[in-house]
Amino acid sequence: METIIADMTRGIDGDMMAKAGQIIRQGGLVAFPTETVYGLGANGLDETASAKIYAAKGRPSDNPLIVHIARFSDLERIAEQIPDSARKLADAFWPGPLTMIFRKSPEVPYGTTGGLDTVAVRMPDHPIALALIEAGGGYIAAPSANTSGRPSPTRAAHVAEDLQGKIDMILDGGDVGIGLESTIVDLTEEKPVILRPGYINQKMLEDVIGPVEMDRGLTADDPNVHPKAPGMKYRHYAPKASLTIVEGPAGAVMDKIRLLARQEEERGGRVGIIATDETAASYPVGIVKSVGTRTDELSISSHLYGILREFDQLQVTRIYSEAFETPMLGQAIMNRLMKAAGHQVILV
């Protein structure tokens, strides 16, 4: 299959968008930018089209897809019940990086929901994504546009690296803004539950709808306690090299990483270090990549996956990363980093 790459970095190309919409309507696959990461889209109401997403990504079939919509009223077709809390959250955060889970209507095939009686829905905050949803019929199922388990794509080149020749089209909208997947909140429980942390954090949700619980599997120290969201039990975001997080006071963390990097190089290894603008110059050994500055959380979230992919290209044998307990996005950043590291953490 030849993958068409449509450049929309200077604005939406109407002809190419019409072609992308036609591909979706005919059961094909189109990768597109959102404010979080690039998504791999298909007609969410077409079970055969959804199956193509799983095949292209190598994604486990019990891992549900998120259905993307462009208007709140479109939710009525795919959700059996829309609680008041959903309307309040949509008023506050849609379009935006928030996914809500509802009881699904018969319109949504089990092939899209991973066999579940619930459907995950969001309205992305990106003009290209919204235009594609409209052109494609209104309901686009889309996980991240990468090979399953790999770091999520934050630019079109990452999509091409994993999926060139496996999908019909890539809409290149440049680099994304947030760089981490959306927050997922389950509204089918008596009390709303966060199944995946993201840019919209617990306090922001509670300011709108009152008490919201965090899924115990996200905060449990035991890595064998899996989060409720089916997809979160799988290995995600992982580079090819072994990744270890070093956590503790800043000075002790840097000392430990310097020691570990020196030991790895003495064994003939090639070391990657994930640091920040504030600390990158403190590491004399290894290939050091700054993920951004701790004074700008979005600089960290938006660069994390790209740096993991850069280390793959550099063929490092081990990666050591500082921890990032930042005020607003820290929980989401550390959730992704812990998954990428397979919960390998050194406390100092």
Side-chain angles (χ1 to χ4, degrees):
M1 176 188 297
E2 180 182 354
T3 301
I4 301 166
I5 300 179
D7 183 359
M8 298 201 177
T9 55
R10 298 185 198 86
I12 295 175
D13 181 322
D15 290 340
M16 293 305 290
M17 184 59 72
K19 184 174 182 63
Q22 183 181 37
I23 289 170
I24 294 291
R25 289 174 184 271
Q26 292 177 346
L29 302 180
V30 177
F32 61 97
T34 74
E35 77 280 24
T36 58
V37 298
Y38 272 74
L40 178 58
N43 182 352
L45 305 185
D46 179 348
E47 195 158 35
T48 302
S50 291
K52 292 180 182 179
I53 292 177
Y54 288 100
K57 283 176 59 70
R59 182 181 175 94
S61 61
D62 66 342
N63 192 353
L65 307 176
I66 295 173
V67 178
H68 293 61
I69 60 175
R71 293 182 297 270
F72 184 84
S73 58
D74 291 338
L75 188 57
E76 295 173 1
R77 182 178 174 187
I78 58 176
E80 274 199 342
Q81 294 180 321
I82 303 173
D84 288 339
S85 57
R87 300 180 190 279
K88 291 176 182 177
L89 289 173
D91 285 343
F93 302 119
W94 273 7
L98 176 67
T99 295
M100 294 185 268
I101 295 180
F102 306 90
R103 295 289 172 193
K104 81 174 191 70
S105 77
E107 291 264 6
V108 187
Y110 283 110
T112 295
T113 66
L116 300 178
D117 290 318
T118 55
V119 60
V121 188
R122 97 171 181 101
M123 186 189 299
D125 187 14
H126 196 290
I128 294 174
L130 293 171
L132 179 64
I133 294 165
E134 294 278 13
Y139 300 92
I140 291 186
S144 55
N146 59 312
T147 300
S148 191
R150 294 266 289 137
S152 298
T154 55
R155 58 183 59 165
H158 297 161
V159 181
E161 182 183 327
D162 283 10
L163 300 177
Q164 183 94 32
K166 297 180 181 179
I167 63 177
D168 298 284
M169 180 181 276
I170 300 170
L171 302 180
D172 183 357
D175 291 358
V176 302
I178 296 174
L180 296 178
E181 298 81 2
S182 62
T183 304
I184 298 178
V185 59
D186 186 352
L187 299 180
T188 66
E189 304 285 345
E190 185 175 337
K191 184 181 289 186
V193 180
I194 295 173
L195 303 188
R196 182 175 71 189
Y199 182 87
I200 309 298
N201 61 33
Q202 186 174 10
K203 183 181 184 305
M204 293 166 70
L205 295 171
E206 290 184 333
D207 285 346
V208 176
I209 59 172
V212 175
E213 294 181 348
M214 186 70 68
D215 178 16
R216 181 175 169 271
L218 295 173
T219 56
D221 292 332
D222 183 355
N224 295 314
V225 178
H226 293 301
K228 182 181 175 184
M232 296 300 283
K233 72 186 179 185
Y234 292 107
R235 185 171 183 260
H236 277 303
Y237 326 119
K240 294 174 183 176
S242 176
L243 167 63
T244 300
I245 303 164
V246 182
E247 195 168 1
V253 166
M254 288 188 285
D255 286 343
K256 186 66 173 179
I257 292 177
R258 282 191 287 261
L259 174 62
L260 292 167
R262 189 160 51 248
Q263 290 173 340
E264 179 67 15
E265 290 208 344
E266 287 172 355
R267 290 191 293 266
R270 188 174 173 86
V271 184
I273 296 173
I274 300 176
T276 62
D277 290 353
E278 294 83 358
T279 62
S282 301
Y283 299 106
V285 174
I287 301 170
V288 184
K289 297 281 186 181
S290 173
V291 76
T293 171
R294 291 181 186 272
T295 61
D296 180 3
E297 295 179 76
L298 278 176
S299 72
I300 296 175
S301 66
S302 63
H303 292 120
L304 177 61
Y305 291 146
I307 283 177
L308 293 177
R309 284 178 175 266
E310 287 175 24
F311 280 137
D312 282 350
Q313 294 171 351
L314 292 167
Q315 298 182 324
V316 300
T317 53
R318 291 198 69 89
I319 303 169
Y320 297 105
S321 177
E322 299 173 1
F324 304 102
E325 300 291 354
T326 55
M328 179 180 163
L329 274 169
Q331 187 174 53
I333 293 168
M334 287 305 295
N335 170 267
R336 306 310 194 272
L337 198 55
M338 289 286 281
K339 291 288 290 181
H343 293 269
Q344 292 186 110
V345 181
I346 296 174
L347 298 176
V348 295

